[in-house]
Amino acid sequence: MNKLKRHQTGITMVEFSIVGSLFLLLLFAILELAIFVFHLQSMNDISRRTARIAAVCVVNDTDIKPLALSEGAPPGFTAENIKLDYLNKNGLAILDPVGNHADIRYVQARIIDFNYGFTPLLKFLGENGIVPIQDFRTVLPAESLGVLRSDVSSEKTDC
């Protein structure tokens, strides 16, 4: 019996190191995926915020995208990943929204061409940890488009 105990010395530490390392690996993988889902939600919110700001600001205002990116953007996300379109009543993009201001019925904001990079822990996902993100799209009805009511004033507001 004494000989059997001597051969078992340290086995608990080996078992704990194996089980503990697997547990920590799983825990950090779950945290990384949670951060990924958070960044997906923040990109969805950025598209919604961009469309909302564009619906009330002057057409083609340069402040729309920076205002939408004020918080919560994932690393590597820039204003170049936001595409803003003004749509007519049929949902088709208006090529010259400034010249055809009266035809604008909807504002569309899309998140385009963004690739999310995982940490080295999840590098096996995608192409070496880089995963292309689907295009997020938000369409809202155009509101004031930065123009005050004509019975009050004909001035344009600033975002």
Side-chain angles (χ1 to χ4, degrees):
M1 185 72 166
N2 199 11
K3 187 177 181 183
L4 184 62
K5 271 188 163 181
R6 199 170 12 145
H7 288 298
Q8 297 280 325
T9 309
I11 193 71
T12 306
M13 190 173 300
V14 172
E15 289 175 350
F16 176 76
S17 64
I18 292 171
V19 172
S21 62
L22 290 176
F23 173 75
L24 288 174
L25 179 67
L26 181 64
L27 179 69
F28 287 126
I30 290 171
L31 289 174
E32 178 70 25
L33 289 175
I35 291 169
F36 173 67
V37 170
F38 172 76
H39 285 146
L40 288 177
Q41 178 58 35
S42 67
M43 286 185 286
N44 188 30
D45 188 55
I46 288 170
S47 74
R48 182 201 54 78
R49 196 177 323 134
T50 303
R52 177 67 186 131
I53 293 169
V56 297
C57 289
V58 176
V59 175
N60 290 339
D61 190 338
T62 57
D63 291 336
I64 294 173
K65 291 179 183 180
L67 283 172
L69 282 174
S70 61
E71 58 188 54
F77 191 86
T78 64
E80 309 303 320
N81 298 111
I82 300 174
K83 178 150 176 46
L84 185 60
D85 294 314
Y86 296 93
L87 310 175
N88 63 16
K89 65 181 178 180
N90 298 322
L92 301 173
I94 298 174
L95 299 178
D96 181 22
V98 176
N100 298 324
H101 193 272
D103 294 339
I104 299 173
R105 293 293 178 260
Y106 303 100
V107 176
Q108 173 180 270
R110 291 186 301 146
I111 305 300
I112 57 169
D113 301 329
F114 183 68
N115 294 321
Y116 185 82
F118 285 103
T119 61
L121 180 65
L122 297 178
K123 281 266 190 208
F124 62 89
L125 295 175
E127 289 187 23
N128 202 19
I130 305 296
V131 178
I133 301 299
Q134 67 177 1
D135 291 353
F136 288 96
R137 182 177 88 148
T138 302
V139 178
L140 293 177
E143 293 182 20
S144 66
L145 295 173
V147 178
L148 296 175
R149 291 187 352 218
S150 60
D151 59 342
V152 177
S153 171
S154 62
E155 296 178 24
K156 293 184 177 184
T157 62
D158 187 22
C159 287

